[in-house]
Amino acid sequence: MNAIEKIHQFNRFGSRLGLERMTVLLEKLGNPHEDLDVIHVAGTNGKGSVCKYLEEGLSACGYKVGLYTSPFIEEFNERICLGGENISNEDLQSFTERVLKASDEMVAEGLDSPTEFEVVTAIAFLYFKEKGADITVLEVGLGGSGDSTNVVKKPLACAITSIAFDHMDRLGNTLAEIAVNKAGIIKEGVPVISNVPEREAAVVIAGTAYEKNSKLYDISKNKFMIFDETPFSQKVSMDIYGTDYSDVEISMTGKHQGENLKTALAIIEVLRKERKIKVERSKLYEGLKQAVQPGRFEVLVGKSVSGGEADAGQYERPMVIIDGAHNEAGACALRETVSRYFEGQRVLLVTGMLADKQVDDILKHFTAITDKMIITEPDNPRKLSVDRLGKILNKMGIEPVKAKDAREGVKLAESMQGEYDLILFAGSLYLIGDVRRIVRNEWGKGN
C-alpha cells in the first residue's frame, strides 16, 4: 500500500474540527511546527491565490518557501510544495510512515485517531521543518479556530482574505458567525491583515484583533486600478501603506484577483516594514507574474492570434477555461470575469456540483453567464446527481445536455466546439481536477 492509500484510510474518521488530536500527534513528532516561520491565511475565497502570490513572490526574492494548500487539483503531492517543487513520492512515503507510527502510538494509548487532514498537515510540518523551509505559507483547510493548521502559536502574520457563505453546517449561518471561526487564527501580538468589507464580519475580526493585542491592517477600503486586461493577464497598481506598487503584471485575471494581489502585497509590506523579510522590487514583480493557481479561471485551450497576449478580443476560438467556482461568491466572481472578457460572445458552460453546496445561489450566477449547458457529476460521494441538477435547471427554464461523468462532458463539449467562442468548465473542484487532466491530455486528439 502506498503513502496516499494509507493516508486515505484515515478518511473513515471523517472531518472533525478541534486541536486536541493534532496537538498530541505533533508532540510525538517533536513539535516540528514550532520551528517554522509561518504566514497563516484563512478566508472563504481567495486564500489559495493569495498563498500562491506569496509563494512565488517570496521565492523570487530568494526565500525557500513551503506551501501547504488544499484540496489538490490533479495530484495529491500538490498539497505539499517546497522550493517550487511538489513533495516527491519517496519523501511522501517516508514522512507518512513516521506520522503513521505516531498515530498508531496514539491509538495504542487509547486516544482518538487523527483525521486524514490532520495526518497530511503533520506530514507537511515535518517535511518543511526537516527540509529547511525559510518561510511556510499555510492555507487554512476549513474555518480557522478548529482547523488543524491552527496549532501554530506564533506565526509571522495572519491574514483573512474574505468572509462569505460556505460550509454553513460547520461554521455558522451568518457572516458574523463565520467570521468568529475564521478569526480564530488570530494570535496574541501577531499582525492581522484583513480584506473583509462586510461590516458584520469586519467588526468580529477587529474585536478579536483587539482582544489579542494584535495590530489590525484593514485593507478592505484600499483602492487599486486594473488595466491592460486580457483573459491571460492584467496589470494592477495600488498604494500599500505609503509604498507604491504600480504596474504589477499578474497572470491570474479578474477583479477578484486584484483583491487577492492586494492582500498578498499587504502581507509582504507589513512583514517588510517589521523587518521580518527583505524583498527586491524587480524580483518580487517577476515572481508575482509567475503565480498561477490551477483551476482558477485557467486557460487550457486558446491563445492570442498574434502570438502575444495584448488584445483580449483576438484569440483562437473556442477558448477553453476551467474555474472552481464552488460557492456563491466564487460563482459571482466568475460571472463578472466572463462578462468582462467575453461580453456578447457564445458561451457553453459545463458544470457539476456537490449536493451540500448553495446550488440555487450558484446557478443564479451560472445562468446569467449562459443558458447553454452540459451538466454532469463530480467523482465524489457528496455529488449532486445529474438528474437532480437537471430538474433544478428545468425550473429555471433551461434544458441542459446530460453527461454521465467528466470525460463524457468533455467529449460532448469538444463535439460542440464549433458553435461557441468560449467553453467554460465550472463548479466543484473535484470535477475541475478531472476535467483539467482530460482536456490537457485529450482535447483535439480525437480520443
Side-chain angles (χ1 to χ4, degrees), residues 200-253:
E200 62 177 300
V203 167
V204 171
I205 295 167
T208 306
Y210 178 79
E211 291 170 4
K212 297 288 186 179
N213 299 304
S214 300
K215 187 169 182 179
L216 175 64
Y217 296 86
D218 183 350
I219 59 168
S220 61
K221 293 182 174 59
N222 290 39
K223 304 297 183 184
F224 58 85
M225 293 177 54
I226 296 178
F227 50 100
D228 290 353
E229 302 171 74
T230 80
F232 309 95
S233 66
Q234 58 187 353
K235 288 184 179 178
V236 188
S237 292
M238 67 188 81
D239 178 274
I240 301 289
Y241 298 113
T243 300
D244 177 37
Y245 287 97
S246 294
D247 301 337
V248 183
E249 185 175 355
I250 55 176
S251 300
M252 293 192 277
T253 57

Side-chain angles (χ1 to χ4, degrees), residues 148-367:
S148 64
T149 63
N150 203 33
V151 291
V152 174
K153 297 176 182 177
K154 193 73 174 178
L156 297 174
C158 300
I160 302 175
T161 63
S162 65
I163 301 289
F165 290 107
D166 201 7
H167 301 293
M168 283 97 78
D169 58 322
R170 313 290 297 279
L171 305 181
N173 293 309
T174 67
L175 291 182
E177 289 174 346
I178 295 171
V180 168
N181 201 295
K182 306 282 187 187
I185 71 165
I186 297 174
K187 301 298 190 302
E188 187 76 24
V190 174
V192 181
I193 296 87
S194 173
N195 193 9
V196 177
E198 293 81 10
R199 176 170 171 73
E200 62 177 300
V203 167
V204 171
I205 295 167
T208 306
Y210 178 79
E211 291 170 4
K212 297 288 186 179
N213 299 304
S214 300
K215 187 169 182 179
L216 175 64
Y217 296 86
D218 183 350
I219 59 168
S220 61
K221 293 182 174 59
N222 290 39
K223 304 297 183 184
F224 58 85
M225 293 177 54
I226 296 178
F227 50 100
D228 290 353
E229 302 171 74
T230 80
F232 309 95
S233 66
Q234 58 187 353
K235 288 184 179 178
V236 188
S237 292
M238 67 188 81
D239 178 274
I240 301 289
Y241 298 113
T243 300
D244 177 37
Y245 287 97
S246 294
D247 301 337
V248 183
E249 185 175 355
I250 55 176
S251 300
M252 293 192 277
T253 57
K255 182 181 177 183
H256 60 292
Q257 288 298 348
E259 293 288 352
N260 294 333
L261 176 66
K262 179 176 71 172
T263 304
L265 285 175
I267 295 167
I268 289 170
E269 186 62 18
V270 167
L271 293 180
R272 188 186 71 82
K273 288 187 171 179
E274 291 192 350
R275 302 184 185 276
K276 300 286 180 61
I277 61 172
K278 293 181 179 179
V279 295
E280 184 178 322
R281 181 66 60 94
S282 61
K283 291 181 179 178
L284 175 63
Y285 276 33
E286 288 172 9
L288 294 171
K289 184 178 179 180
Q290 296 303 313
V292 176
Q293 183 75 341
R296 272 63 169 192
F297 208 76
E298 182 183 10
V299 179
L300 296 184
V301 177
K303 60 184 179 181
S304 169
V305 295
S306 63
E309 298 177 353
D311 189 337
Q314 301 301 313
Y315 51 79
E316 293 178 347
R317 289 175 170 81
M319 185 173 286
V320 178
I321 293 176
I322 59 174
D323 190 271
H326 59 94
N327 56 34
E328 184 185 6
C332 179
L334 176 61
R335 186 196 73 208
E336 291 174 353
T337 305
V338 171
S339 175
R340 207 175 187 99
Y341 302 125
F342 298 95
E343 184 68 41
Q345 298 187 40
R346 302 167 300 168
V347 180
L348 173 65
L349 175 66
V350 186
T351 189
M353 303 182 193
L354 299 183
D356 55 6
K357 293 292 183 175
Q358 307 153 280
V359 176
D360 291 343
D361 293 330
I362 293 169
L363 288 177
K364 174 181 65 178
H365 297 290
F366 283 2
T367 55

